[in-house]
Amino acid sequence: MKKDGHIHTPYCPHGTEDSFHLYIEKAIQSGFDTITFTEHAPLPLGFIDPTPDKDSGMSMTHLESYITKLQKLKKEYKKDIVISTGLEVDFISGFEQNITSFLNTYGKYLDDSILSVHFLKFENDYTCIDFSKSTFTEFVERLGSPMAVYKLYYKTLIDSITSNLGDYKPRRIGHITLVHKFQHSLTEVVQDHEDIVNILKEIKHQQLELDVNTAGLAKPYCLEVYPPLPYIKLAKELEIPLVFGSDAHQAKDLHQFYNNISNLL
């Protein structure tokens, strides 16, 4: 079964206006059996988005429209492809209760979702670590070293994996090495092998799935899959369910680099 389980939509405030139909028709033409739309969920109540345009998640006022639209599309394309309604939910330290409340309200409408870490908390404020190279570099300077940023990222990721977010907690953990997005802009190579292995072991222990995310291959300072190929192989050895995700924010990026990793799935 060919599945792309990480796809964004015209509801993404930092994406494109490419229609659902463009994504779906391309998936059908590419021979995919099932796709999951995983738009960035509204950020938790009380959280202030640190990005300049405050566009990291969809507006709460658009959420019901998003769900309703996908319900219609499922019926429209039911003979051609399986479409799942999902969200990419941000795990944000300190907002676990609000995230749980959100999932308790809307989780029953979701088929398949992702839990991701984009925001790191340090000294009572938050940074979106994948927003830009300059933001990442400034955060490295603030914490004192790239290793300190990596350690904080992996600690937050472990917290997301082990967190009790209720019955509707997403089953798939998103792009577990997103902290690598700007790795080639650093003057040193960070040794994080043990951290990644520990992440995979905890995903296995919690019986969760792994987002095998090829978007990093298109990022000029990353140039690798999230996670890198050796860890995809390790995840498979650990019998962690692997789900390909192109993390497309525009139709032309749908299924990007699928052929690079399809033999590992």
Side-chain angles (χ1 to χ4, degrees), residues 25-36:
E25 295 290 346
K26 180 172 181 178
I28 294 169
Q29 292 168 10
S30 301
F32 278 74
D33 305 292
T34 179
I35 55 175
T36 300

Side-chain angles (χ1 to χ4, degrees), residues 41-112:
L43 297 175
L45 188 66
F47 178 74
I48 299 174
D49 186 349
T51 64
D53 293 330
K54 303 196 180 325
D55 60 354
S56 298
M58 83 163 84
S59 168
M60 183 64 79
T61 60
H62 294 158
L63 181 58
E64 290 188 14
S65 170
Y66 169 77
I67 293 170
T68 300
K69 180 69 173 177
L70 282 173
Q71 288 172 340
K72 293 177 180 178
L73 289 166
K74 287 181 189 181
K75 295 176 183 178
E76 182 180 345
Y77 286 97
K78 65 180 180 181
K79 293 182 180 179
D80 304 302
I81 193 168
V82 175
I83 298 171
S84 293
T85 301
L87 289 171
E88 182 174 12
V89 178
D90 273 288
F91 177 84
I92 303 174
S93 296
F95 286 85
E96 293 86 348
Q97 186 173 345
N98 290 352
I99 296 167
T100 303
S101 177
F102 170 82
L103 290 169
N104 286 342
T105 301
Y106 293 100
K108 60 188 174 184
Y109 302 108
L110 306 176
D111 306 308
D112 175 33

Side-chain angles (χ1 to χ4, degrees), residues 111-124:
D111 306 308
D112 175 33
S113 290
I114 296 172
L115 187 65
S116 296
V117 171
H118 298 92
F119 302 100
L120 297 184
K121 182 180 181 181
F122 181 69
E123 293 182 343
N124 294 318

Side-chain angles (χ1 to χ4, degrees), residues 194-242:
E194 290 186 8
D195 295 288
I196 301 172
V197 171
N198 289 337
I199 292 292
L200 292 176
K201 288 180 177 178
E202 194 58 45
I203 289 174
K204 171 66 175 180
H205 179 68
Q206 298 292 334
Q207 298 182 307
L208 299 173
E209 301 173 345
L210 180 68
D211 175 40
V212 178
N213 189 312
T214 53
L217 288 168
K219 308 302 181 185
Y221 293 104
C222 183
L223 303 177
E224 67 184 20
V225 185
Y226 307 127
L229 298 183
Y231 300 102
I232 299 173
K233 294 176 182 177
L234 175 58
K236 191 167 186 177
E237 291 172 8
L238 292 171
E239 299 183 332
I240 295 170
L242 308 177

